[in-house]
Amino acid sequence: MILSISWRNIWRNKVRSLVIIFSIAIGIFAGVFSAAFFKGMADQRIQKVINTELSYIQIHQPDYRQNSDFGNFIPDGSALTAKIRQLPHVTGVSQRILIQSMLASAETASGVLIAGIDPAIESTVTNLNTKIIEGAYFDGIKRNPIVIGKKLAEKLNVKVRSKVVITLQDLDNNITSGAFRVAGIYSTDNNLFDESRVFIRSSALIKLTAFPATAAHEIAINIDASENLSLVESQVKEIAGDKEVMNWKALSPEMNYLTEAMGIYMYVFIIIILLALLFGIINTMLMVVMERRKELGMLMAVGMNKRRIFTMIVLESILLSITGGIVGIVIGALTAKYGETHPVDLSMWAQGYQQLGYDAFVYTSVDPVMLVNVSIMVMITGVIAALYPAYKALKNDPADALRME
Amino acid sequence: MKVIEIRNLKKTYNTGEVKVKAVNGISIDFEEGEFAAIVGPSGSGKTTFLNMLGGLDRPTSGEVVIGGANVWELSSRKLIDFRMNNIGFVFQAYNLIPVLTAGENVEFIMQLQGMPKKERGMRTKELLEAVGLADRINSRPGKLSGGQQQRVAVARALASRPKFILADEPTANLDSKATTSLLEMMAEMNKKYNTTFIFATHDQRVMDKARRIVSIEDGRILSDERFER
């Protein structure tokens, strides 16, 4: 019955309770929605990096990342690739030959990293083929097509169909060069990537350098959904033996840090909101206790012990907070859920964001764990807010309280 | 059988430099089934006396022995339980819990006592019937008249099966019709359950009903008279 008394007590002063409930609801709504918004933003950014640059998992020779020598390749790359392709949840496996080289146009030259790929297979792993802004993805040029980034095209002052020359050292350290024509120009959100990475057919690179046809420097793996990452990763590790298998978090720690930092910021933000609300709830509960001095005295006189009085006040505060909290969480979650399919349009400020690699349209992303955590935090706030008022209530002397007629 | 034994009870208030002796050495016993009124002008110390009797106000010295236990030797925690199980309270301002219905107000104390739900429900009904409010069991105090609220308060006071009921000016806020019927009802309860009633009052109508009248002035007993009614 104490629970029922606490709940009914809330509605004794409807306006006052509704004011505090709505302020809690608005605060929590703001917290939940912002959290979903910024998580969505970070998720989108990461997804983009995974889709265009990183892929989910990469395999290299154990020391390749320290010594990216052309000769430091995975000899049985094709066999490994074929095995990984059989794994569940794997949607694409691309083997790449990588080599540092010089790319020269008629006017100037620039150092680049050449990736020798199978264009059709590469597009099952990365979405480079959708990033073409001029020309076509390996189409339209019969002999030796090359796909380069927009930034590099500007630097070299080349257009689609322009001729460029690659100069590189083959496995025996002989300088060789080959002429290529620009088939397509791509543009991602990462200028550095656009300026330094070019793509040619692996067959052309093999021909130019006498590289073993089944070997690869890098095997990039795409999977169906990020929640299957650890499962696939462990299976790949089994197959790959002594090779170095790394997921995107390890490949790009700064991206992983982005999500973690974003999560921490959001909790700090919500704690600040709750701290502000805390004082509002304390104020309300103090008013409640002052107003009901006589009633509390009566309850103590007829046999409510201190523990029960305390419980009653704390419950009232918790119920008040959690009612507001639930309203806020529900509205926040629904709005954020809507935002998962209807993006927030930031195009007014999009230029700045895009330079940082963020999208102009942000799809929110609701984290159910966070919703649960926020509910618990609201409840804790309710308890903390009740402590001082409840202490005040216990200080009540029943004889004194009853004397106030 | 003695329900309450009071020995040389004193209460002194320190208001600044002046010491006020609100109760100045009262010794008196109450028997089971009494219907007694403690009367006196305001400021005579009768409310203070009643509060000390009820375990609400700690005396400066003296003893209040209820059912063999010296009330003021109990710890404050035990005292609350003691009050709950031994003493029923009826206040001048009714003091029902406004958010609970009449029935729930009566039931509440029994729940605090840990009485099983079924028994509680039956006793609530019985008591409300006894005070003539069976049909208002689901009404909240705000929907009841003053007289009706005080009847609920009496039913609540009886609910815990106390050794005695203390009523501090229970009729002060009631009109004469409600006063008369409330007093009749309380006299009936007194007979029916053999529960001791002790009033603090200066209401003549209460005195007319009481079978014992204890007059207090300046914190001392002036007279102690018994009547056959």
Side-chain angles (χ1 to χ4, degrees), chain B:
Chain B
M1 198 184 103
K2 280 176 188 163
V3 178
I4 313 167
E5 297 166 69
I6 294 154
R7 297 283 163 266
N8 200 22
L9 202 62
K10 287 185 183 175
K11 175 79 181 181
T12 311
Y13 289 109
N14 288 320
T15 51
E17 286 173 17
V18 195
K19 280 191 177 178
V20 180
K21 290 179 175 172
V23 172
N24 192 11
I26 291 183
S27 297
I28 190 172
D29 294 345
F30 290 94
E31 300 283 329
E32 188 176 357
E34 280 200 66
F35 202 66
I38 295 163
V39 301
S42 37
S44 60
K46 56 186 193 300
T47 295
T48 306
F49 175 63
L50 214 65
N51 281 343
M52 289 193 288
L53 203 50
L56 294 175
D57 210 351
R58 184 173 288 277
T60 313
S61 66
E63 286 180 0
V64 176
V65 180
I66 298 170
N70 188 347
V71 174
W72 290 107
E73 278 176 1
L74 297 172
S75 69
S76 62
R77 184 182 298 201
K78 280 193 176 152
L79 184 59
I80 291 180
D81 284 346
F82 184 86
R83 280 202 301 260
M84 174 172 74
N85 292 316
N86 295 284
I87 311 172
F89 290 92
V90 176
F91 306 99
Q92 179 182 342
Y94 329 131
N95 283 352
L96 298 172
I97 304 171
V99 294
L100 298 183
T101 64
E104 287 167 334
N105 263 288
V106 176
E107 195 185 340
F108 184 57
I109 306 230
M110 294 187 270
Q111 195 183 16
L112 292 181
Q113 285 181 311
M115 198 184 283
K117 194 177 163 67
K118 209 175 157 192
E119 200 184 329
R120 280 195 326 246
M122 275 161 58
R123 189 161 167 77
T124 302
K125 262 187 145 170
E126 184 202 320
L127 285 167
L128 282 178
E129 238 162 68
V131 301
L133 285 174
D135 55 331
R136 306 309 298 268
I137 189 164
N138 291 321
S139 303
R140 289 209 188 174
K143 300 272 182 212
L144 301 174
S145 71
Q148 288 173 325
Q149 286 189 55
Q150 200 61 305
R151 281 160 177 273
V152 176
V154 172
R156 176 181 67 181
L158 285 165
S160 60
R161 299 182 203 275
K163 291 205 169 66
F164 59 95
I165 287 177
L166 296 178
D168 189 7
E169 306 274 11
T171 58
N173 292 358
L174 300 180
D175 61 29
S176 55
K177 202 179 150 204
T179 300
T180 310
S181 70
L182 181 79
L183 284 169
E184 267 164 19
M185 185 274 283
M186 286 202 276
E188 203 186 310
M189 295 297 111
N190 169 247
K191 292 224 167 75
K192 190 173 175 183
Y193 297 108
N194 200 30
T195 307
T196 309
F197 276 77
I198 301 170
F199 300 92
T201 188
H202 50 241
D203 186 335
Q204 189 57 45
R205 294 165 298 193
V206 179
M207 293 184 230
D208 290 346
K209 275 267 174 200
R211 294 198 297 275
R212 182 181 181 187
I213 295 180
V214 180
S215 296
I216 293 183
E217 211 170 315
D218 299 330
R220 288 172 184 279
I221 294 176
L222 274 187
S223 64
D224 184 354
E225 295 170 281
R226 289 170 197 267
F227 306 89
E228 286 297 323
R229 293 196 220 269

Side-chain angles (χ1 to χ4, degrees), chain A residues 80-264:
Chain A
L80 191 56
T81 301
K83 271 191 217 158
I84 292 166
R85 214 166 259 151
Q86 305 302 318
L87 291 176
H89 304 300
V90 170
T91 55
V93 187
S94 172
Q95 63 185 91
R96 299 169 179 161
I97 305 167
L98 302 174
I99 183 167
Q100 298 284 349
S101 79
M102 210 62 174
L103 185 67
S105 69
E107 280 174 33
T108 180
S110 180
V112 294
L113 180 70
I114 298 175
I117 53 162
D118 180 318
I121 290 172
E122 181 65 29
S123 36
T124 63
V125 176
T126 56
N127 60 1
L128 182 72
N129 55 331
T130 65
K131 300 287 175 189
I132 303 294
I133 52 166
E134 274 174 64
Y137 179 67
F138 288 97
D139 271 346
I141 304 290
K142 273 196 187 120
R143 219 172 141 265
N144 285 353
I146 185 169
V147 171
I148 66 173
K150 180 171 172 249
K151 199 82 185 165
L152 185 66
E154 280 166 9
K155 191 173 168 188
L156 297 178
N157 197 13
V158 294
K159 295 194 286 279
V160 173
R161 307 198 66 80
S162 293
K163 188 177 153 187
V164 289
V165 173
I166 287 170
T167 309
L168 43 73
Q169 276 185 307
D170 66 13
L171 284 173
D172 303 323
N173 291 335
N174 299 316
I175 305 282
T176 57
S177 55
F180 289 75
R181 265 182 208 281
V182 176
I185 295 171
Y186 71 85
S187 170
T188 69
D189 297 318
N190 184 344
N191 283 338
L192 196 67
F193 184 83
D194 289 6
E195 198 179 334
S196 62
R197 189 73 72 106
V198 304
F199 297 87
I200 61 174
R201 286 184 201 280
S202 47
S203 54
L205 200 53
I206 288 164
K207 211 158 123 191
L208 207 60
T209 59
F211 193 78
T214 58
H217 292 105
E218 181 171 284
I219 297 171
I221 302 163
N222 191 23
I223 60 174
D224 53 2
S226 50
E227 53 264 31
N228 298 322
L229 178 60
S230 51
L231 173 74
V232 175
E233 192 186 354
S234 62
Q235 288 171 329
V236 169
K237 272 184 177 153
E238 259 174 53
I239 298 171
D242 65 336
K243 309 288 182 295
E244 185 183 55
V245 177
M246 292 174 96
N247 64 29
W248 66 267
K249 290 174 193 169
L251 289 164
S252 179
E254 68 277 11
M255 278 294 135
N256 189 34
Y257 176 70
L258 178 70
T259 10
E260 278 175 14
M262 203 67 106
I264 292 165

Side-chain angles (χ1 to χ4, degrees), chain A residues 276-294:
Chain A
L277 291 172
L278 179 74
F279 290 97
I281 306 170
I282 290 177
N283 184 40
T284 303
M285 291 312 296
L286 271 178
M287 272 159 58
V288 160
V289 168
M290 299 297 177
E291 254 174 29
R292 292 191 210 141
R293 270 196 65 195
K294 208 173 136 191

